[in-house]
Amino acid sequence: AAAMIIGGVGRAKEASDPPVPLPIGAAQPGAQQTSFVAYPLRLEGHLDPDLSRWKWLVKWFLAIPHFVVLVFLWVAFVALTFVAFFTILFTGRYPRSIFEFNVGVLRWSWRVAYYATNVLGTDRYPPFTLNAVEYPARLDVVYPEHLSRGLVLVKSWLLAIPHLLILWALTASWGTGNDDGARFVFSGGLLGLVLMIAVIILLFTGRYPVGLYNLIMGGMRWTYRVIAYAALMTDDYPPFRLD
């Protein structure tokens, strides 16, 4: 109680003094200072303001050529990640050419997911390229100059387990059934359900709900951070955050 009284008197005295203007962006005196460290993987998406109400119904079909190409790209991604594993184990470095290719695969996958499957946030058809281009969905990963030789042994299968469990809960299929054997199965998990609600609202109102969009984008950021970490592309442990 005494401490509260003394503190109250002190604040009253400070309040009597005229406030000193601070530069824009400067921290308030006595405010708790927090540091923000950007994660090596950066994923962005820009929602089209004039999305078609119905085109999301056929985007999966329009994206079939991309799906075919991505099957082969992901086979190469997995094979090259094994090569990178042994290179990191013996040298502590991720081969630059393999890194750039694997980032390109993630970049291509993100553009297709943004257009046709996981977000449906643009009507602009994704380009067939591994390179970074001007597109509403962008992804990039900072190249690591050095990686831990020890962590490479446990990142993918052990350290990533907490994140994999959370992502499974967000994306796993679920359903209901009855004694007659009839079942209703919803694929895509919680994020798939949120996406379905968002596009139904888009269909009837012509507007994609920004709040649901931000939630879906958070899930995508989380997912791709974990993929990059499990693929040995960074030693920075993914944060348990949607932003």
Side-chain angles (χ1 to χ4, degrees), residues 39-44 67 70 74 77 102-119 137-141 163-164 167 170-171 191 216-234 236-239 241-243:
Y39 195 72
L41 181 142
R42 182 176 182 84
L43 181 145
E44 296 179 342
F67 298 147
L70 284 173
W74 274 98
F77 182 98
N102 284 352
V103 171
V105 175
L106 293 179
R107 192 179 285 136
W108 194 326
S109 301
W110 169 232
R111 288 193 291 251
V112 175
Y114 193 82
Y115 169 78
T117 56
N118 296 96
V119 185
R138 293 191 291 271
L139 180 148
D140 202 5
V141 186
H163 285 282
L164 296 176
L167 292 179
L170 291 176
T171 60
L191 290 180
I216 295 170
M217 284 294 296
M220 292 298 98
R221 289 190 189 97
W222 197 324
T223 300
Y224 278 85
R225 287 173 189 154
V226 175
I227 292 174
Y229 182 77
L232 314 176
M233 304 176 78
T234 179
D236 290 8
Y237 196 70
R241 300 173 65 99
L242 293 174
D243 57 355

Short mmCIF file of all heavy atoms in Angstrom, two decimals, residues 39-44 67 70 74 77 102-119 137-141 163-164 167 170-171 191 216-234 236-239 241-243:
data_model
loop_
_atom_site.label_atom_id
_atom_site.label_comp_id
_atom_site.label_asym_id
_atom_site.label_seq_id
_atom_site.Cartn_x
_atom_site.Cartn_y
_atom_site.Cartn_z
N TYR A 39 11.98 -13.38 -39.27
CA TYR A 39 12.34 -14.77 -39.58
C TYR A 39 12.94 -14.82 -40.98
O TYR A 39 12.57 -14.04 -41.85
CB TYR A 39 11.09 -15.65 -39.49
CG TYR A 39 11.40 -17.11 -39.43
CD1 TYR A 39 11.94 -17.67 -38.28
CD2 TYR A 39 11.19 -17.94 -40.53
CE1 TYR A 39 12.24 -19.02 -38.21
CE2 TYR A 39 11.49 -19.29 -40.47
CZ TYR A 39 12.02 -19.82 -39.31
OH TYR A 39 12.34 -21.15 -39.25
N PRO A 40 13.88 -15.76 -41.22
CA PRO A 40 14.55 -15.80 -42.54
C PRO A 40 13.59 -16.03 -43.70
O PRO A 40 13.92 -15.68 -44.83
CB PRO A 40 15.52 -16.98 -42.38
CG PRO A 40 15.80 -17.05 -40.92
CD PRO A 40 14.53 -16.65 -40.24
N LEU A 41 12.43 -16.65 -43.45
CA LEU A 41 11.45 -16.83 -44.53
C LEU A 41 10.42 -15.72 -44.46
O LEU A 41 9.83 -15.49 -43.41
CB LEU A 41 10.77 -18.20 -44.42
CG LEU A 41 9.75 -18.51 -45.52
CD1 LEU A 41 9.81 -19.98 -45.93
CD2 LEU A 41 8.32 -18.17 -45.09
N ARG A 42 10.21 -15.07 -45.58
CA ARG A 42 9.21 -14.00 -45.66
C ARG A 42 8.15 -14.40 -46.68
O ARG A 42 8.46 -14.65 -47.84
CB ARG A 42 9.86 -12.68 -46.06
CG ARG A 42 8.87 -11.51 -46.10
CD ARG A 42 9.58 -10.20 -46.39
NE ARG A 42 8.67 -9.08 -46.39
CZ ARG A 42 8.28 -8.42 -45.30
NH1 ARG A 42 8.76 -8.78 -44.13
NH2 ARG A 42 7.45 -7.41 -45.38
N LEU A 43 6.90 -14.46 -46.23
CA LEU A 43 5.78 -14.83 -47.09
C LEU A 43 4.78 -13.68 -47.10
O LEU A 43 4.39 -13.20 -46.04
CB LEU A 43 5.14 -16.12 -46.58
CG LEU A 43 3.97 -16.69 -47.37
CD1 LEU A 43 4.00 -18.22 -47.34
CD2 LEU A 43 2.64 -16.20 -46.79
N GLU A 44 4.39 -13.24 -48.30
CA GLU A 44 3.48 -12.11 -48.43
C GLU A 44 2.34 -12.47 -49.37
O GLU A 44 2.47 -13.32 -50.25
CB GLU A 44 4.21 -10.88 -48.98
CG GLU A 44 5.29 -10.34 -48.07
CD GLU A 44 5.98 -9.13 -48.69
OE1 GLU A 44 5.85 -8.95 -49.93
OE2 GLU A 44 6.64 -8.39 -47.95
N PHE A 67 -0.19 -28.08 -61.10
CA PHE A 67 -0.13 -29.25 -60.23
C PHE A 67 0.76 -30.34 -60.83
O PHE A 67 1.54 -30.99 -60.12
CB PHE A 67 -1.53 -29.81 -59.98
CG PHE A 67 -2.46 -28.86 -59.28
CD1 PHE A 67 -3.82 -28.88 -59.56
CD2 PHE A 67 -1.98 -27.96 -58.35
CE1 PHE A 67 -4.68 -28.01 -58.91
CE2 PHE A 67 -2.84 -27.09 -57.70
CZ PHE A 67 -4.19 -27.11 -57.99
N LEU A 70 4.36 -29.25 -60.47
CA LEU A 70 4.79 -29.24 -59.07
C LEU A 70 5.05 -30.65 -58.54
O LEU A 70 5.88 -30.82 -57.63
CB LEU A 70 3.74 -28.55 -58.21
CG LEU A 70 3.72 -27.01 -58.30
CD1 LEU A 70 2.53 -26.44 -57.53
CD2 LEU A 70 5.02 -26.43 -57.76
N TRP A 74 8.54 -31.17 -56.66
CA TRP A 74 8.65 -31.60 -55.27
C TRP A 74 9.43 -32.90 -55.14
O TRP A 74 10.09 -33.13 -54.12
CB TRP A 74 7.27 -31.72 -54.64
CG TRP A 74 6.81 -30.39 -54.11
CD1 TRP A 74 5.98 -29.50 -54.72
CD2 TRP A 74 7.21 -29.79 -52.88
NE1 TRP A 74 5.82 -28.39 -53.93
CE2 TRP A 74 6.56 -28.53 -52.80
CE3 TRP A 74 8.04 -30.18 -51.84
CZ2 TRP A 74 6.73 -27.67 -51.72
CZ3 TRP A 74 8.21 -29.33 -50.76
CH2 TRP A 74 7.56 -28.10 -50.71
N PHE A 77 12.75 -31.57 -55.15
CA PHE A 77 12.98 -30.87 -53.89
C PHE A 77 13.41 -31.85 -52.80
O PHE A 77 14.38 -31.62 -52.08
CB PHE A 77 11.68 -30.16 -53.48
CG PHE A 77 11.77 -29.36 -52.22
CD1 PHE A 77 11.98 -27.99 -52.26
CD2 PHE A 77 11.62 -29.96 -50.97
CE1 PHE A 77 12.05 -27.23 -51.10
CE2 PHE A 77 11.69 -29.23 -49.80
CZ PHE A 77 11.91 -27.86 -49.87
N ASN A 102 15.37 -24.92 -54.40
CA ASN A 102 14.34 -25.28 -53.42
C ASN A 102 13.49 -24.08 -53.02
O ASN A 102 12.29 -24.19 -52.81
CB ASN A 102 14.98 -25.91 -52.19
CG ASN A 102 15.41 -27.35 -52.44
OD1 ASN A 102 15.10 -27.92 -53.48
ND2 ASN A 102 16.13 -27.93 -51.51
N VAL A 103 14.11 -22.90 -52.91
CA VAL A 103 13.33 -21.69 -52.65
C VAL A 103 12.38 -21.43 -53.81
O VAL A 103 11.22 -21.03 -53.61
CB VAL A 103 14.26 -20.48 -52.43
CG1 VAL A 103 13.46 -19.18 -52.37
CG2 VAL A 103 15.05 -20.64 -51.14
N GLY A 104 12.84 -21.67 -55.02
CA GLY A 104 11.97 -21.50 -56.18
C GLY A 104 10.77 -22.43 -56.15
O GLY A 104 9.66 -22.04 -56.53
N VAL A 105 10.97 -23.66 -55.68
CA VAL A 105 9.85 -24.60 -55.57
C VAL A 105 8.84 -24.10 -54.53
O VAL A 105 7.62 -24.14 -54.77
CB VAL A 105 10.36 -26.00 -55.20
CG1 VAL A 105 9.19 -26.95 -54.96
CG2 VAL A 105 11.27 -26.55 -56.30
N LEU A 106 9.35 -23.64 -53.39
CA LEU A 106 8.45 -23.07 -52.39
C LEU A 106 7.72 -21.86 -52.94
O LEU A 106 6.50 -21.68 -52.71
CB LEU A 106 9.24 -22.68 -51.14
CG LEU A 106 9.87 -23.80 -50.33
CD1 LEU A 106 10.63 -23.22 -49.13
CD2 LEU A 106 8.81 -24.78 -49.84
N ARG A 107 8.42 -21.03 -53.68
CA ARG A 107 7.83 -19.82 -54.25
C ARG A 107 6.72 -20.17 -55.24
O ARG A 107 5.62 -19.59 -55.22
CB ARG A 107 8.95 -19.03 -54.92
CG ARG A 107 8.62 -17.63 -55.33
CD ARG A 107 9.84 -16.99 -55.94
NE ARG A 107 10.84 -16.63 -54.97
CZ ARG A 107 12.15 -16.85 -55.10
NH1 ARG A 107 12.62 -17.46 -56.18
NH2 ARG A 107 12.99 -16.46 -54.17
N TRP A 108 6.99 -21.13 -56.11
CA TRP A 108 6.01 -21.57 -57.10
C TRP A 108 4.79 -22.17 -56.39
O TRP A 108 3.64 -21.88 -56.73
CB TRP A 108 6.65 -22.61 -58.02
CG TRP A 108 5.90 -22.93 -59.28
CD1 TRP A 108 4.55 -22.97 -59.45
CD2 TRP A 108 6.48 -23.26 -60.55
NE1 TRP A 108 4.24 -23.31 -60.74
CE2 TRP A 108 5.39 -23.50 -61.44
CE3 TRP A 108 7.78 -23.40 -61.02
CZ2 TRP A 108 5.60 -23.88 -62.77
CZ3 TRP A 108 7.98 -23.77 -62.34
CH2 TRP A 108 6.91 -23.99 -63.21
N SER A 109 5.04 -23.02 -55.40
CA SER A 109 3.95 -23.65 -54.66
C SER A 109 3.07 -22.62 -53.97
O SER A 109 1.84 -22.75 -53.95
CB SER A 109 4.52 -24.63 -53.63
OG SER A 109 5.31 -25.63 -54.25
N TRP A 110 3.69 -21.59 -53.40
CA TRP A 110 2.94 -20.56 -52.70
C TRP A 110 2.06 -19.77 -53.67
O TRP A 110 0.92 -19.45 -53.37
CB TRP A 110 3.89 -19.64 -51.94
CG TRP A 110 3.26 -18.40 -51.40
CD1 TRP A 110 3.68 -17.12 -51.59
CD2 TRP A 110 2.07 -18.29 -50.59
NE1 TRP A 110 2.84 -16.23 -50.95
CE2 TRP A 110 1.84 -16.93 -50.33
CE3 TRP A 110 1.19 -19.24 -50.07
CZ2 TRP A 110 0.78 -16.48 -49.57
CZ3 TRP A 110 0.11 -18.79 -49.31
CH2 TRP A 110 -0.08 -17.43 -49.06
N ARG A 111 2.58 -19.46 -54.84
CA ARG A 111 1.76 -18.73 -55.81
C ARG A 111 0.53 -19.54 -56.22
O ARG A 111 -0.58 -19.01 -56.32
CB ARG A 111 2.61 -18.37 -57.05
CG ARG A 111 3.63 -17.28 -56.81
CD ARG A 111 4.20 -16.75 -58.11
NE ARG A 111 5.04 -17.71 -58.78
CZ ARG A 111 6.35 -17.63 -58.89
NH1 ARG A 111 6.99 -16.61 -58.32
NH2 ARG A 111 7.04 -18.54 -59.56
N VAL A 112 0.72 -20.84 -56.46
CA VAL A 112 -0.40 -21.69 -56.85
C VAL A 112 -1.39 -21.85 -55.69
O VAL A 112 -2.61 -21.81 -55.88
CB VAL A 112 0.11 -23.07 -57.32
CG1 VAL A 112 -1.06 -24.00 -57.61
CG2 VAL A 112 0.98 -22.91 -58.57
N ALA A 113 -0.86 -22.01 -54.47
CA ALA A 113 -1.74 -22.13 -53.31
C ALA A 113 -2.54 -20.85 -53.10
O ALA A 113 -3.72 -20.90 -52.74
CB ALA A 113 -0.90 -22.44 -52.06
N TYR A 114 -1.91 -19.70 -53.33
CA TYR A 114 -2.60 -18.43 -53.15
C TYR A 114 -3.69 -18.24 -54.20
O TYR A 114 -4.76 -17.68 -53.91
CB TYR A 114 -1.58 -17.29 -53.24
CG TYR A 114 -2.11 -15.95 -52.78
CD1 TYR A 114 -2.14 -15.63 -51.43
CD2 TYR A 114 -2.58 -15.02 -53.69
CE1 TYR A 114 -2.63 -14.41 -50.99
CE2 TYR A 114 -3.08 -13.79 -53.26
CZ TYR A 114 -3.10 -13.49 -51.91
OH TYR A 114 -3.60 -12.29 -51.48
N TYR A 115 -3.43 -18.73 -55.41
CA TYR A 115 -4.38 -18.55 -56.50
C TYR A 115 -5.52 -19.57 -56.46
O TYR A 115 -6.69 -19.21 -56.62
CB TYR A 115 -3.65 -18.66 -57.84
CG TYR A 115 -4.55 -18.75 -59.05
CD1 TYR A 115 -5.17 -17.61 -59.57
CD2 TYR A 115 -4.80 -19.98 -59.67
CE1 TYR A 115 -6.01 -17.70 -60.67
CE2 TYR A 115 -5.64 -20.06 -60.77
CZ TYR A 115 -6.24 -18.93 -61.27
OH TYR A 115 -7.07 -19.02 -62.37
N ALA A 116 -5.18 -20.86 -56.22
CA ALA A 116 -6.13 -21.92 -56.53
C ALA A 116 -6.61 -22.77 -55.37
O ALA A 116 -7.67 -23.39 -55.48
CB ALA A 116 -5.53 -22.85 -57.60
N THR A 117 -5.87 -22.84 -54.26
CA THR A 117 -6.23 -23.85 -53.27
C THR A 117 -6.39 -23.30 -51.85
O THR A 117 -7.47 -23.36 -51.28
CB THR A 117 -5.19 -24.98 -53.25
OG1 THR A 117 -3.88 -24.44 -53.01
CG2 THR A 117 -5.18 -25.72 -54.59
N ASN A 118 -5.35 -22.76 -51.27
CA ASN A 118 -5.34 -22.47 -49.84
C ASN A 118 -5.85 -21.08 -49.46
O ASN A 118 -6.28 -20.86 -48.33
CB ASN A 118 -3.94 -22.65 -49.26
CG ASN A 118 -3.46 -24.09 -49.35
OD1 ASN A 118 -2.76 -24.45 -50.28
ND2 ASN A 118 -3.86 -24.90 -48.40
N VAL A 119 -5.76 -20.12 -50.39
CA VAL A 119 -6.15 -18.74 -50.06
C VAL A 119 -7.19 -18.20 -51.02
O VAL A 119 -8.16 -17.57 -50.60
CB VAL A 119 -4.91 -17.81 -50.05
CG1 VAL A 119 -5.32 -16.40 -49.59
CG2 VAL A 119 -3.81 -18.36 -49.17
N ALA A 137 1.29 -12.88 -54.63
CA ALA A 137 1.85 -13.77 -53.61
C ALA A 137 3.35 -13.88 -53.82
O ALA A 137 3.80 -14.26 -54.90
CB ALA A 137 1.19 -15.14 -53.68
N ARG A 138 4.12 -13.57 -52.76
CA ARG A 138 5.58 -13.59 -52.88
C ARG A 138 6.18 -14.34 -51.69
O ARG A 138 5.65 -14.30 -50.58
CB ARG A 138 6.14 -12.18 -52.97
CG ARG A 138 5.76 -11.45 -54.24
CD ARG A 138 6.56 -10.17 -54.40
NE ARG A 138 6.21 -9.17 -53.42
CZ ARG A 138 5.24 -8.27 -53.57
NH1 ARG A 138 4.52 -8.27 -54.68
NH2 ARG A 138 4.98 -7.39 -52.64
N LEU A 139 7.30 -14.98 -51.95
CA LEU A 139 8.01 -15.73 -50.90
C LEU A 139 9.50 -15.63 -51.16
O LEU A 139 9.95 -15.70 -52.30
CB LEU A 139 7.56 -17.20 -50.90
CG LEU A 139 8.19 -18.14 -49.87
CD1 LEU A 139 7.19 -19.21 -49.44
CD2 LEU A 139 9.46 -18.80 -50.38
N ASP A 140 10.25 -15.50 -50.08
CA ASP A 140 11.69 -15.48 -50.20
C ASP A 140 12.30 -16.01 -48.91
O ASP A 140 11.69 -15.91 -47.84
CB ASP A 140 12.21 -14.07 -50.48
CG ASP A 140 13.59 -14.09 -51.13
OD1 ASP A 140 14.09 -15.19 -51.45
OD2 ASP A 140 14.17 -13.01 -51.33
N VAL A 141 13.49 -16.59 -49.02
CA VAL A 141 14.21 -17.12 -47.87
C VAL A 141 15.63 -16.60 -47.91
O VAL A 141 16.28 -16.63 -48.96
CB VAL A 141 14.22 -18.67 -47.87
CG1 VAL A 141 14.86 -19.20 -46.58
CG2 VAL A 141 12.82 -19.23 -48.03
N HIS A 163 5.52 -28.29 -33.95
CA HIS A 163 4.89 -27.54 -35.04
C HIS A 163 4.07 -28.47 -35.93
O HIS A 163 2.97 -28.11 -36.38
CB HIS A 163 5.95 -26.82 -35.87
CG HIS A 163 6.51 -25.61 -35.22
ND1 HIS A 163 5.85 -24.41 -35.17
CD2 HIS A 163 7.68 -25.42 -34.56
CE1 HIS A 163 6.59 -23.52 -34.53
NE2 HIS A 163 7.70 -24.11 -34.15
N LEU A 164 4.60 -29.65 -36.21
CA LEU A 164 3.88 -30.59 -37.07
C LEU A 164 2.56 -31.02 -36.44
O LEU A 164 1.55 -31.19 -37.14
CB LEU A 164 4.77 -31.81 -37.34
CG LEU A 164 6.05 -31.54 -38.13
CD1 LEU A 164 6.88 -32.81 -38.26
CD2 LEU A 164 5.73 -30.97 -39.51
N LEU A 167 0.16 -28.04 -36.94
CA LEU A 167 -0.26 -27.95 -38.33
C LEU A 167 -1.20 -29.10 -38.70
O LEU A 167 -2.12 -28.93 -39.50
CB LEU A 167 0.96 -27.94 -39.26
CG LEU A 167 1.83 -26.69 -39.16
CD1 LEU A 167 3.03 -26.79 -40.10
CD2 LEU A 167 1.03 -25.43 -39.48
N LEU A 170 -4.53 -28.11 -37.59
CA LEU A 170 -5.12 -27.05 -38.41
C LEU A 170 -5.55 -27.54 -39.78
O LEU A 170 -6.45 -26.95 -40.39
CB LEU A 170 -4.11 -25.91 -38.58
CG LEU A 170 -3.78 -25.08 -37.33
CD1 LEU A 170 -2.69 -24.06 -37.65
CD2 LEU A 170 -5.02 -24.37 -36.82
N THR A 171 -4.92 -28.59 -40.29
CA THR A 171 -5.16 -28.99 -41.68
C THR A 171 -5.70 -30.40 -41.85
O THR A 171 -6.08 -30.78 -42.96
CB THR A 171 -3.85 -28.88 -42.49
OG1 THR A 171 -2.86 -29.75 -41.92
CG2 THR A 171 -3.32 -27.46 -42.48
N LEU A 191 -8.35 -24.66 -41.24
CA LEU A 191 -8.06 -23.63 -42.25
C LEU A 191 -8.93 -23.83 -43.49
O LEU A 191 -9.36 -22.85 -44.11
CB LEU A 191 -6.59 -23.66 -42.63
CG LEU A 191 -5.60 -23.19 -41.56
CD1 LEU A 191 -4.17 -23.28 -42.07
CD2 LEU A 191 -5.92 -21.75 -41.13
N ILE A 216 -6.16 -17.00 -42.44
CA ILE A 216 -5.63 -17.97 -43.40
C ILE A 216 -4.17 -17.66 -43.73
O ILE A 216 -3.33 -18.56 -43.79
CB ILE A 216 -6.49 -17.96 -44.68
CG1 ILE A 216 -7.90 -18.45 -44.37
CG2 ILE A 216 -5.85 -18.82 -45.77
CD1 ILE A 216 -8.88 -18.25 -45.50
N MET A 217 -3.85 -16.38 -43.92
CA MET A 217 -2.47 -16.00 -44.22
C MET A 217 -1.55 -16.37 -43.06
O MET A 217 -0.41 -16.80 -43.26
CB MET A 217 -2.39 -14.50 -44.50
CG MET A 217 -2.91 -14.11 -45.88
SD MET A 217 -1.91 -14.76 -47.23
CE MET A 217 -0.35 -13.92 -46.91
N GLY A 218 -2.02 -16.20 -41.83
CA GLY A 218 -1.21 -16.59 -40.68
C GLY A 218 -0.91 -18.07 -40.69
O GLY A 218 0.21 -18.51 -40.41
N GLY A 219 -1.92 -18.88 -41.03
CA GLY A 219 -1.70 -20.31 -41.12
C GLY A 219 -0.72 -20.68 -42.22
O GLY A 219 0.11 -21.59 -42.06
N MET A 220 -0.75 -19.96 -43.33
CA MET A 220 0.19 -20.22 -44.42
C MET A 220 1.61 -19.83 -44.03
O MET A 220 2.57 -20.53 -44.35
CB MET A 220 -0.25 -19.45 -45.67
CG MET A 220 -1.54 -19.96 -46.31
SD MET A 220 -1.42 -21.68 -46.90
CE MET A 220 -2.16 -22.57 -45.53
N ARG A 221 1.76 -18.70 -43.34
CA ARG A 221 3.10 -18.31 -42.88
C ARG A 221 3.68 -19.38 -41.96
O ARG A 221 4.85 -19.76 -42.08
CB ARG A 221 3.02 -16.97 -42.14
CG ARG A 221 2.75 -15.78 -43.02
CD ARG A 221 2.95 -14.47 -42.25
NE ARG A 221 2.48 -13.35 -43.04
CZ ARG A 221 1.28 -12.80 -42.91
NH1 ARG A 221 0.43 -13.27 -42.01
NH2 ARG A 221 0.91 -11.79 -43.67
N TRP A 222 2.86 -19.82 -41.03
CA TRP A 222 3.30 -20.85 -40.09
C TRP A 222 3.73 -22.11 -40.85
O TRP A 222 4.78 -22.70 -40.61
CB TRP A 222 2.16 -21.17 -39.13
CG TRP A 222 2.58 -21.89 -37.88
CD1 TRP A 222 3.56 -22.84 -37.75
CD2 TRP A 222 2.02 -21.70 -36.58
NE1 TRP A 222 3.64 -23.26 -36.45
CE2 TRP A 222 2.70 -22.58 -35.70
CE3 TRP A 222 1.00 -20.90 -36.06
CZ2 TRP A 222 2.40 -22.67 -34.35
CZ3 TRP A 222 0.70 -20.99 -34.72
CH2 TRP A 222 1.39 -21.86 -33.87
N THR A 223 2.90 -22.51 -41.82
CA THR A 223 3.17 -23.74 -42.57
C THR A 223 4.50 -23.64 -43.33
O THR A 223 5.33 -24.56 -43.26
CB THR A 223 2.03 -24.01 -43.56
OG1 THR A 223 0.81 -24.17 -42.83
CG2 THR A 223 2.31 -25.25 -44.38
N TYR A 224 4.71 -22.55 -44.03
CA TYR A 224 5.92 -22.45 -44.85
C TYR A 224 7.17 -22.24 -44.00
O TYR A 224 8.26 -22.66 -44.40
CB TYR A 224 5.76 -21.33 -45.88
CG TYR A 224 5.00 -21.79 -47.11
CD1 TYR A 224 3.60 -21.77 -47.14
CD2 TYR A 224 5.66 -22.27 -48.23
CE1 TYR A 224 2.90 -22.21 -48.25
CE2 TYR A 224 4.98 -22.70 -49.34
CZ TYR A 224 3.59 -22.68 -49.34
OH TYR A 224 2.89 -23.12 -50.45
N ARG A 225 7.05 -21.62 -42.84
CA ARG A 225 8.19 -21.54 -41.94
C ARG A 225 8.64 -22.92 -41.50
O ARG A 225 9.83 -23.24 -41.47
CB ARG A 225 7.84 -20.70 -40.71
CG ARG A 225 7.73 -19.21 -40.94
CD ARG A 225 7.20 -18.55 -39.68
NE ARG A 225 6.88 -17.14 -39.89
CZ ARG A 225 5.99 -16.47 -39.18
NH1 ARG A 225 5.32 -17.08 -38.21
NH2 ARG A 225 5.75 -15.20 -39.41
N VAL A 226 7.67 -23.76 -41.17
CA VAL A 226 7.99 -25.12 -40.72
C VAL A 226 8.58 -25.93 -41.88
O VAL A 226 9.52 -26.71 -41.69
CB VAL A 226 6.73 -25.81 -40.15
CG1 VAL A 226 7.02 -27.26 -39.80
CG2 VAL A 226 6.24 -25.06 -38.92
N ILE A 227 8.05 -25.76 -43.09
CA ILE A 227 8.61 -26.47 -44.24
C ILE A 227 10.06 -26.08 -44.45
O ILE A 227 10.93 -26.94 -44.65
CB ILE A 227 7.78 -26.16 -45.50
CG1 ILE A 227 6.38 -26.78 -45.39
CG2 ILE A 227 8.49 -26.70 -46.74
CD1 ILE A 227 5.46 -26.41 -46.54
N ALA A 228 10.35 -24.78 -44.40
CA ALA A 228 11.72 -24.32 -44.60
C ALA A 228 12.65 -24.85 -43.52
O ALA A 228 13.79 -25.24 -43.79
CB ALA A 228 11.77 -22.80 -44.65
N TYR A 229 12.16 -24.88 -42.28
CA TYR A 229 12.98 -25.39 -41.18
C TYR A 229 13.22 -26.89 -41.32
O TYR A 229 14.36 -27.37 -41.18
CB TYR A 229 12.29 -25.08 -39.85
CG TYR A 229 13.08 -25.52 -38.64
CD1 TYR A 229 14.18 -24.79 -38.19
CD2 TYR A 229 12.72 -26.68 -37.94
CE1 TYR A 229 14.90 -25.20 -37.07
CE2 TYR A 229 13.43 -27.09 -36.83
CZ TYR A 229 14.52 -26.35 -36.40
OH TYR A 229 15.24 -26.76 -35.30
N ALA A 230 12.17 -27.64 -41.61
CA ALA A 230 12.31 -29.09 -41.77
C ALA A 230 13.14 -29.44 -42.99
O ALA A 230 13.77 -30.51 -43.02
CB ALA A 230 10.93 -29.74 -41.86
N ALA A 231 13.16 -28.57 -43.99
CA ALA A 231 13.97 -28.80 -45.18
C ALA A 231 15.40 -28.29 -45.00
O ALA A 231 16.14 -28.18 -45.99
CB ALA A 231 13.33 -28.13 -46.39
N LEU A 232 15.78 -27.96 -43.76
CA LEU A 232 17.17 -27.63 -43.40
C LEU A 232 17.63 -26.29 -43.97
O LEU A 232 18.83 -26.04 -44.04
CB LEU A 232 18.13 -28.74 -43.86
CG LEU A 232 17.69 -30.18 -43.56
CD1 LEU A 232 18.68 -31.17 -44.15
CD2 LEU A 232 17.52 -30.39 -42.07
N MET A 233 16.70 -25.41 -44.33
CA MET A 233 17.07 -24.16 -44.98
C MET A 233 17.42 -23.07 -43.99
O MET A 233 17.86 -21.99 -44.39
CB MET A 233 15.94 -23.71 -45.92
CG MET A 233 15.56 -24.77 -46.94
SD MET A 233 14.16 -24.32 -47.97
CE MET A 233 14.94 -23.21 -49.12
N THR A 234 17.20 -23.31 -42.70
CA THR A 234 17.54 -22.33 -41.67
C THR A 234 17.70 -23.05 -40.34
O THR A 234 17.12 -24.12 -40.13
CB THR A 234 16.46 -21.24 -41.56
OG1 THR A 234 16.82 -20.32 -40.53
CG2 THR A 234 15.11 -21.84 -41.24
N ASP A 236 17.05 -21.16 -37.58
CA ASP A 236 16.16 -20.38 -36.72
C ASP A 236 14.87 -21.16 -36.49
O ASP A 236 14.14 -21.47 -37.44
CB ASP A 236 15.83 -19.03 -37.36
CG ASP A 236 17.04 -18.11 -37.39
OD1 ASP A 236 18.14 -18.58 -37.05
OD2 ASP A 236 16.87 -16.93 -37.75
N TYR A 237 14.61 -21.45 -35.22
CA TYR A 237 13.41 -22.24 -34.89
C TYR A 237 12.16 -21.42 -35.21
O TYR A 237 12.07 -20.24 -34.83
CB TYR A 237 13.42 -22.64 -33.43
CG TYR A 237 12.46 -23.75 -33.10
CD1 TYR A 237 12.69 -25.05 -33.55
CD2 TYR A 237 11.31 -23.50 -32.35
CE1 TYR A 237 11.80 -26.07 -33.25
CE2 TYR A 237 10.42 -24.52 -32.05
CZ TYR A 237 10.67 -25.80 -32.51
OH TYR A 237 9.79 -26.82 -32.22
N PRO A 238 11.17 -22.01 -35.89
CA PRO A 238 9.97 -21.24 -36.25
C PRO A 238 9.23 -20.77 -35.00
O PRO A 238 9.08 -21.52 -34.03
CB PRO A 238 9.13 -22.25 -37.04
CG PRO A 238 10.07 -23.34 -37.43
CD PRO A 238 11.11 -23.40 -36.37
N PRO A 239 8.75 -19.54 -35.00
CA PRO A 239 7.95 -19.05 -33.87
C PRO A 239 6.55 -19.64 -33.89
O PRO A 239 6.02 -19.98 -34.94
CB PRO A 239 7.92 -17.54 -34.11
CG PRO A 239 8.02 -17.39 -35.60
CD PRO A 239 8.92 -18.51 -36.05
N ARG A 241 3.61 -18.46 -33.98
CA ARG A 241 2.87 -17.22 -34.24
C ARG A 241 2.24 -17.30 -35.62
O ARG A 241 2.76 -17.95 -36.52
CB ARG A 241 3.80 -16.00 -34.18
CG ARG A 241 4.51 -15.79 -32.86
CD ARG A 241 5.51 -14.66 -32.99
NE ARG A 241 4.83 -13.39 -33.25
CZ ARG A 241 4.58 -12.48 -32.34
NH1 ARG A 241 4.94 -12.70 -31.09
NH2 ARG A 241 3.99 -11.37 -32.64
N LEU A 242 1.13 -16.58 -35.77
CA LEU A 242 0.48 -16.48 -37.07
C LEU A 242 0.97 -15.28 -37.86
O LEU A 242 0.78 -15.23 -39.07
CB LEU A 242 -1.04 -16.38 -36.88
CG LEU A 242 -1.75 -17.62 -36.31
CD1 LEU A 242 -3.21 -17.30 -36.04
CD2 LEU A 242 -1.64 -18.79 -37.26
N ASP A 243 1.56 -14.30 -37.18
CA ASP A 243 1.94 -13.07 -37.87
C ASP A 243 3.38 -13.18 -38.37
O ASP A 243 4.03 -14.21 -38.22
CB ASP A 243 1.76 -11.84 -36.97
CG ASP A 243 2.56 -11.98 -35.67
OD1 ASP A 243 3.14 -13.05 -35.45
OD2 ASP A 243 2.57 -11.02 -34.89
#
